[in-house]
Amino acid sequence: MKSSYTAVIQRDGLWWIGWVTGVPGVNSQGKTKEELIENLYSALKEALEMNRADALAALNDEYEEVDLQV
C-alpha cells in the first residue's frame, strides 16, 4: 500500500527545516532543500517501520490488515 504524506518546509537562515504534518515527531533539517527532503523521507520511513513493528508486537497470533483511506 502506498501512502502520501505532506511536509511543511522553510528556509531558516543557512538551513532548511521541515516537518511531516501527519506523523508526530518526524522532522529534520538540511543544508539544501534537496538534503532536507531526503532527510525527511528517511525519518518518515524509519518512524513508520518502528510504528508498524510496535503495532505487530502488541497483537496476538490472529489479526488482519485493512486499508484506510482518508
Side-chain angles (χ1 to χ4, degrees):
M1 174 177 87
K2 275 225 177 244
S3 298
S4 178
Y5 296 88
T6 300
V8 292
I9 65 173
Q10 69 177 28
R11 186 154 187 110
D12 185 22
L14 298 177
W15 291 88
W16 282 85
I17 58 174
W19 299 262
V20 175
T21 58
V23 184
V26 178
N27 54 75
S28 194
Q29 63 185 20
K31 291 183 180 180
T32 66
K33 184 177 177 181
E34 293 75 20
E35 181 181 38
L36 166 63
I37 292 169
E38 288 176 20
N39 293 345
L40 284 171
Y41 178 81
S42 294
L44 175 61
K45 185 176 177 184
E46 184 177 326
L48 293 175
E49 288 171 356
M50 288 183 350
N51 288 348
R52 179 173 174 76
D54 288 347
L56 292 176
L59 297 171
N60 61 28
D61 291 338
E62 291 187 37
Y63 69 92
E64 65 180 280
E65 295 187 31
V66 296
D67 288 335
L68 303 175
Q69 296 187 17
V70 291

